Amino acid sequence: MNVAAILLILCLPSAMLAAEPATGGVTGKVPLPARTNSRIAVEKYTGSISGKVGSPPLPKAGVWIEGPGLTPSATPPPIQLSQKDYQFATSMLVVPCGATVIFPNEDPDYHNIFSLSKTKRFDVGRYKTNERPPPRVTFERAGFVRLQCEIHEHMKAAVLVVNSRYFTVTDETGRFTLRGLPPGTYELHAQFDESSKWNMPVTISAGRITEVNLTAPAQ
Amino acid sequence: MIRLVAALLIATPFAGLAGWPLTSANSFVQAYVQPSVEAVVWTGDHPTPGLGRWDDDAFFAPRLRLKADASAGSHLFLHVNAALDRGFDPGSRADGETRLDEAILRWRLFEDERLNIQLGKFASFFGGWIPQHDFFDDAFLLAPLPYSQIVGVQTRDPAALSPGAITARSAGRAPAFATLDKQNWASTIWGPNYACGVAAFGSTEHFDYAVEFRNAGLSAHPDSWEELNFANPTVTARLGYRPDASWAFGISGSHGSYVEKGAPLVRFDRGSLERSSAGFDARWSHHSLIISGELIYSTFETLAAGDLETVAWYLQTRWKVAPGFWIAGRFGQILANDASGTGDAGTEWQPDIWRAEAAVGWRITSQLLFKASYAHTEGDAAAGHDLLGFGLGYQF
């Protein structure tokens, strides 16, 4: 092996690293509303709940950035939102435009998930435990979609459909971090429900996490 | 007092508390208040088929309803359901009334639904229709035939139910009962039957069960539901079986006095005239389709006309054709035996009745619901045939 070959082998990893684009991130806290829209999970009449009702999922907000080149892929992978212990698995699901959400029922009784939101109006009907195939809905348009169960009024969740491939969900305190973002200036968005929305410009720099401060909801 | 509480509850939304979940600092105590408005316009023949009563071409029946749920921990619950309207049955209090339909204090013994005990004023556990009777849950505007059609049993003057009186009515020499004050007569089951008492009930994965002990019979008029007199109680029980989520079956039974307050007790006491009922209900549902029905056998003891028996049934279906939009149909019958006349002669005390219904519903938003319902009744010579209703409901 000659010297040129040895130098080539030694330089290859650093050359490959240099070819990989440097990314950054953004972190912050969404001021979640103190009041949540939870409803007491008790059935007035028998026959619709035969097991223990779980605790409602903690309230969370969706966060995403929009800008040139950040639109979602044409075929985003399907995402699952199950119902177990007469509750949705999460209170907030963020999906890119064009994504399909699968709604498996893991309770012994029927669920009937529907939405009458302007963004997406659908009703999957009554479906059983582990019914195959489980009902699925494709969300084409960006917007906020409130989910309800026709049988269990206390069950609430939301699907936030975003026109971006970079999104996340806050924790229950409102904290979030988005990583792997290409450097540039974008619009950062956050949303809790139909009326609680935030947005602000954010500049992403390679190799650093930008701290942002979201305050009062944008109208 | 009940009405005062109801009036206060009705006023609550205007105090800024309605429509909001309320939670204590440690989340031990929670409450949820849900006001709603239901406005129905009825039009049809006179006298009105069903339990409504009005003389004009149309009757406007608005209803302001307030529901409140509260919980302390995971075992103690309170549910209140109050209404301000023109009567429980459309037109029965045309000038308006404030009413407490339900006030339930419930103790859930375990973390799941195995066993609950509740007391207060609550809907009966009998049958399969009552759990879905709420305006926003029921596909129709009118209750099924057994829950909305009076039959020829006098609950406030049972002594008048003699073979002679029955014969006179049957022969047209006396007014037919449907043209008389409907509150004096029995319905197989009067609506959801919000009577007062105590109940134990529960559910497991495959079974539902309930026993209730209450002040008024299933056929009792709404005025009797508030009478706090348990001297002649009605005991009702139901056992339900759900082999899986698609199917649900239930058998129900009820026994107790049907004589209501104010009856002249000359030759009998209230406990000596009883009614017994046995019912079977079934439901099948899958995806957008629900099919359900009930069969109810009832027998009423009388002083001089023997046991008056009815068999009432209905079959109904609802099909959601689009998100938030459904169509529904229902058919029901009430069949009756003959009363004991003089000698071996039997006298028809109750004509056989059938009713066919169609309804559409459009849930315009998650809060706004429109329903239209048409009912055609045959066999009740003293009442009209057609009843049409348009209803709009909004949950705040």
Side-chain angles (χ1 to χ4, degrees):
Chain A
M1 187 178 287
N2 60 28
V3 174
I6 292 169
L7 284 174
L8 182 63
I9 291 169
L10 288 174
C11 293
L12 193 58
S14 56
M16 289 173 68
L17 283 174
E20 192 174 285
T23 61
V26 59
T27 188
K29 185 175 181 182
V30 178
L32 299 179
R35 182 174 63 81
T36 61
N37 197 28
S38 64
R39 184 170 187 145
I40 297 167
V42 57
E43 57 173 359
K44 289 192 282 293
Y45 313 108
T46 58
S48 62
I49 297 177
S50 58
K52 182 182 176 183
V53 178
S55 300
L58 296 167
K60 297 175 181 176
V63 180
W64 73 103
I65 61 168
E66 287 184 7
L70 302 186
T71 52
S73 68
T75 55
I79 303 163
Q80 185 165 296
L81 178 55
S82 61
Q83 304 99 60
K84 186 169 170 39
D85 298 332
Y86 306 92
Q87 300 285 3
F88 283 103
T90 182
S91 64
M92 172 67 75
L93 187 69
V94 186
V95 301
C97 288
T100 295
V101 177
I102 302 168
F103 294 97
N105 175 8
E106 299 179 26
D107 286 321
D109 299 305
Y110 268 140
H111 287 300
N112 187 154
I113 307 306
F114 73 98
S115 176
L116 300 178
S117 298
K118 288 177 184 172
T119 302
K120 183 71 179 181
R121 194 176 173 96
F122 71 91
D123 187 329
V124 302
R126 296 175 178 227
Y127 52 98
K128 296 183 195 178
T129 306
N130 298 321
E131 184 168 322
R132 293 290 178 267
R136 54 179 58 211
V137 177
T138 299
F139 295 86
E140 298 88 359
R141 286 174 51 203
F144 187 87
V145 181
R146 186 170 289 283
L147 304 181
Q148 295 173 265
C149 176
E150 185 187 62
I151 302 166
H152 306 103
E153 286 180 289
H154 66 272
M155 290 175 60
K156 305 282 184 194
V159 174
L160 186 57
V161 189
V162 299
N163 190 24
S164 173
R165 69 181 70 181
Y166 296 102
F167 51 83
T168 189
V169 175
T170 68
D171 63 15
E172 60 272 21
T173 68
R175 295 236 34 119
F176 70 91
T177 301
L178 264 170
R179 299 177 192 277
L181 308 178
T185 298
Y186 306 105
E187 195 75 11
L188 175 73
H189 296 266
Q191 186 164 357
F192 177 72
D193 57 23
E194 288 91 340
S195 57
S196 301
K197 304 176 188 176
W198 300 261
N199 67 286
M200 62 180 294
V202 61
T203 299
I204 305 299
S205 303
R208 66 181 288 252
I209 303 293
T210 304
E211 178 88 25
V212 296
N213 184 25
L214 291 162
T215 53
Q219 298 302 315
Chain B
M1 176 55 82
I2 286 174
R3 293 194 173 151
L4 175 61
V5 172
L8 288 172
L9 287 165
I10 287 294
T12 303
F14 306 108
L17 296 174
W20 308 107
L22 309 168
T23 307
S24 66
N26 59 3
S27 297
F28 182 76
V29 177
Q30 297 182 56
Y32 190 91
V33 183
Q34 176 78 74
S36 63
V37 173
E38 306 154 17
V40 181
V41 175
W42 294 101
T43 184
D45 292 336
H46 303 289
T48 315
L51 293 173
R53 61 199 81 179
W54 58 85
D55 298 323
D56 298 327
D57 291 338
F59 184 80
F60 179 52
R63 175 171 290 160
L64 176 62
R65 188 174 286 287
L66 183 73
K67 295 178 187 171
D69 290 301
S71 65
S74 59
H75 294 279
L76 201 58
F77 302 93
L78 177 70
H79 172 68
V80 173
N81 175 6
L84 172 63
D85 57 22
R86 302 181 73 186
F88 178 84
D89 300 310
S92 60
R93 298 280 192 280
D95 295 333
E97 72 169 346
T98 304
R99 193 180 58 255
L100 189 63
D101 281 339
E102 292 175 289
I104 305 168
L105 183 62
R106 179 180 298 176
W107 178 34
R108 185 163 67 187
L109 275 69
F110 305 99
E111 290 296 330
D112 59 17
E113 298 293 333
R114 259 177 295 168
L115 185 58
N116 297 266
I117 295 172
Q118 71 179 26
L119 58 88
K121 189 170 186 284
F122 52 87
S124 176
F125 286 88
F126 190 101
W129 172 74
I130 289 174
Q132 52 167 339
H133 74 274
D134 186 90
F135 180 91
F136 293 92
D137 296 329
D138 195 355
F140 298 84
L141 285 170
L142 196 62
L145 187 66
Y147 295 83
S148 61
Q149 175 69 37
I150 58 169
V151 294
V153 176
Q154 283 161 291
T155 56
R156 298 195 177 183
D157 191 8
L161 199 62
S162 65
I166 291 172
T167 302
R169 247 190 3 244
S170 181
R173 297 195 303 274
F177 61 82
T179 64
L180 305 171
D181 194 347
K182 293 182 177 180
Q183 67 183 8
N184 294 330
W185 302 79
S187 174
T188 306
I189 301 172
W190 202 298
N193 197 251
Y194 296 128
C196 297
V198 61
F201 66 97
S203 294
T204 63
E205 183 173 343
H206 294 294
F207 291 96
D208 305 313
Y209 33 86
V211 178
E212 65 187 32
F213 179 92
R214 301 191 305 159
N215 61 334
L218 294 180
S219 56
H221 180 267
D223 286 351
S224 294
W225 300 344
E226 296 179 2
E227 184 193 12
L228 296 178
N229 177 356
F230 292 89
N232 300 287
T234 288
V235 178
T236 301
R238 182 176 185 274
L239 176 64
Y241 173 58
R242 285 176 282 122
D244 70 3
S246 305
W247 287 98
F249 304 99
I251 53 172
S252 304
S254 183
H255 182 78
S257 171
Y258 69 85
V259 182
E260 299 195 49
K261 69 177 179 181
L265 306 176
V266 180
R267 292 183 288 137
F268 64 98
D269 58 46
R270 290 176 69 174
S272 65
L273 292 178
E274 297 184 315
R275 62 91 46 98
S276 299
S277 289
F280 171 75
D281 59 89
R283 186 204 69 215
W284 178 85
S285 56
H286 192 55
H287 292 179
S288 300
L289 185 64
I290 305 174
I291 301 172
S292 60
E294 282 188 70
L295 176 70
I296 302 166
Y297 166 78
S298 299
T299 177
F300 297 83
E301 296 175 341
T302 67
L303 289 171
D307 290 344
L308 305 183
E309 298 172 349
T310 63
V311 172
W313 69 275
Y314 71 88
L315 188 66
Q316 67 179 26
T317 183
R318 186 198 77 172
W319 181 40
K320 277 194 281 191
V321 295
F325 186 79
W326 72 75
I327 57 175
R330 180 162 62 201
F331 184 82
Q333 273 187 300
I334 296 178
L335 310 172
N337 70 340
D338 285 344
S340 301
T342 52
D344 292 331
T347 305
E348 182 185 85
W349 66 276
Q350 164 67 42
D352 294 344
I353 294 174
W354 63 262
R355 179 175 294 160
E357 297 168 82
V360 295
W362 181 27
R363 200 161 172 174
I364 302 163
T365 69
S366 56
Q367 294 168 287
L368 183 63
L369 172 65
F370 170 78
K371 294 199 289 187
S373 190
Y374 168 73
H376 180 80
T377 307
E378 284 288 347
D380 189 348
H385 299 291
D386 298 309
L387 185 62
L388 184 61
F390 301 94
L392 202 59
Y394 186 83
Q395 291 179 303
F396 294 95

